Amino acid sequence: MPPLILLLLLLPGALSAADRDCGRLLVSGYRSTVHVYDGCSGRPLGELAPRAELTGAQALRLHDGLIYAIAENRGEVRRYRADTLAFVDVFVTLPASEGITGLDFGPDGTLYVGAYGTHSVQRFDGRTGAPLGLAFAAGAGGLAGPDNGLAFGPDGKLYVPGYDSDSVVRWDPASDRVEQFVAPRSGRLRSARGLLFEAGGSVLVSSERSDALLRFAADGSFEREFARLPAGFNPTGVGHGADGSLLVTGSGDRVLRLDPVSGAVLGELVGSDNGGLSGATYLLYLPPRPEPPEPPLSQPRGAAAIRQAVGTVASSSAATAASAAVGPPSQAAAAANTGPDARSRP
């Protein structure tokens, strides 16, 4: 490659932000670990942690610069730095038999963790991880098998998908009222897992056993089947990607891109080259990291930097030509030179 072109490609700002950093996509593998992918190409970038540390990987949350990751088979909520992905600590530990799956932070900073095995949602101090008791009575609202899509909605209420109850339960922390938000099997909902709130007030629910994403209105009534997915895909986690498309993963261990308006499948972001992903359960997109600081004003930038680079390369080329005309340098000059479980639910 000509030296001038190579130098221009290396100049700060010569490449687009998307070329420099597309962000990262994290995908939980129940039978593997949490895998890291390029947010635009889906290329595997490694693993968040060794498989023994994140066995039974479930929900992921980004909060105050940290990634909170559930290792269901260890009964742990583990924390990692979002910028470097370095391990921080084990924030919460529960008996593995409780089968923790989903987590989110409430408006007051309290951490809420869903437990599949006890049909409950537990509260923890968001700063220390100290237990604060149940959010509401186990099984309230008909909830059975809280799953990893547990999330607070824009209304400040907690929404909990029930894998075994084929429903979604809603809890209002202000009034302590628990109610069925989505009735069991409404719209052919089978094994509710992921939730995604839309701008218009509706919510998408991944229906694992009917291979579909279903849309429900703000009052919980069924609107329509938003997306029909390939047979056997078994959708679990759902979220937004780098380009604004919807992303959905499932036990097929792929990540599909969907049109956010029509629900049409646009293709794969993560396909067979998935870095060993097994039993996909959840996904989280991490936006691009902050741009490096601009150089000091005393340093040339933009067009001035390019003019300086051109002059430097031209001078270097002239010197090279002159050296070649004179002959080889003297010896002195040269010397200076990273299944499902028993419930069939991963």
Side-chain angles (χ1 to χ4, degrees):
M1 177 181 293
L4 176 57
I5 295 177
L6 177 60
L7 182 58
L8 290 178
L9 288 176
L10 294 175
L11 282 174
L15 300 179
S16 69
D19 289 330
R20 287 195 303 270
D21 194 346
C22 279
R24 293 158 292 173
L25 178 68
L26 307 186
V27 183
S28 295
Y30 192 87
R31 296 186 296 271
S32 53
T33 182
V34 175
H35 298 258
V36 186
Y37 302 93
D38 182 274
C40 292
S41 68
R43 177 174 58 90
L45 300 177
E47 298 175 347
L48 181 62
R51 302 187 179 204
E53 292 182 12
L54 281 173
T55 176
Q58 291 275 12
L60 303 164
R61 288 288 176 192
L62 179 61
H63 181 73
D64 286 346
L66 296 175
I67 299 165
Y68 290 71
I70 284 184
E72 181 180 355
N73 292 342
R74 296 175 65 101
E76 294 176 347
V77 176
R78 303 172 71 86
R79 300 198 297 182
Y80 301 83
R81 287 184 52 163
D83 53 357
T84 65
L85 304 185
F87 173 71
V88 176
D89 60 15
V90 176
F91 190 61
V92 168
T93 301
L94 290 165
S97 60
E98 295 202 11
I100 58 176
T101 53
L103 79 162
D104 201 4
F105 288 85
D108 63 351
T110 300
L111 174 65
Y112 293 78
V113 177
Y116 179 93
T118 57
H119 311 299
S120 65
V121 176
Q122 303 186 38
R123 300 181 304 129
F124 299 87
D125 186 290
R127 295 168 300 172
T128 67
L132 300 176
L134 295 179
F136 50 87
L143 178 65
D147 217 301
N148 57 33
L150 175 155
F152 276 87
D155 57 1
K157 299 176 183 178
L158 182 65
Y159 293 75
V160 188
Y163 185 88
D164 292 339
S165 55
D166 302 317
S167 65
V168 179
V169 166
R170 179 169 62 187
W171 172 63
D172 184 350
S175 65
D176 200 31
R177 180 184 178 186
V178 183
E179 60 186 347
Q180 280 188 352
F181 173 65
V182 174
R185 302 204 167 190
S186 174
R188 297 186 64 249
L189 178 61
R190 303 289 187 277
S191 301
R193 300 211 70 176
L195 301 180
L196 182 64
F197 297 95
E198 298 185 296
S202 56
V203 58
L204 298 178
V205 182
S206 60
S207 179
E208 185 181 61
R209 292 188 180 174
S210 58
D211 287 321
L213 285 183
L214 307 178
R215 173 179 277 165
F216 295 88
D219 62 358
S221 61
F222 176 67
E223 287 190 350
R224 68 181 180 91
E225 181 180 274
F226 177 77
R228 167 55 49 183
L229 300 167
F233 185 79
N234 304 129
T236 53
V238 59
H240 286 105
D243 60 357
S245 62
L246 289 182
L247 301 179
V248 59
T249 192
S251 57
D253 299 329
R254 296 177 291 158
V255 176
L256 298 181
R257 294 175 56 248
L258 308 181
D259 185 289
V261 177
S262 68
V265 177
L266 301 176
E268 290 183 343
L269 179 60
V270 176
S272 57
D273 180 20
N274 59 17
L277 175 65
S278 181
T281 59
Y282 201 89
L283 57 81
L284 172 68
Y285 173 66
L286 299 179
R289 286 161 285 190
E291 292 291 326
E294 289 288 332
L297 291 176
S298 60
Q299 296 185 17
R301 64 182 71 191
I306 293 175
R307 285 195 298 271
Q308 185 184 71
V310 171
T312 301
V313 171
S315 298
S316 177
S317 298
T320 301
S323 175
V326 172
S330 67
Q331 289 185 354
N337 287 339
T338 329
D341 57 18
R343 299 184 293 274
S344 80
R345 179 193 62 80

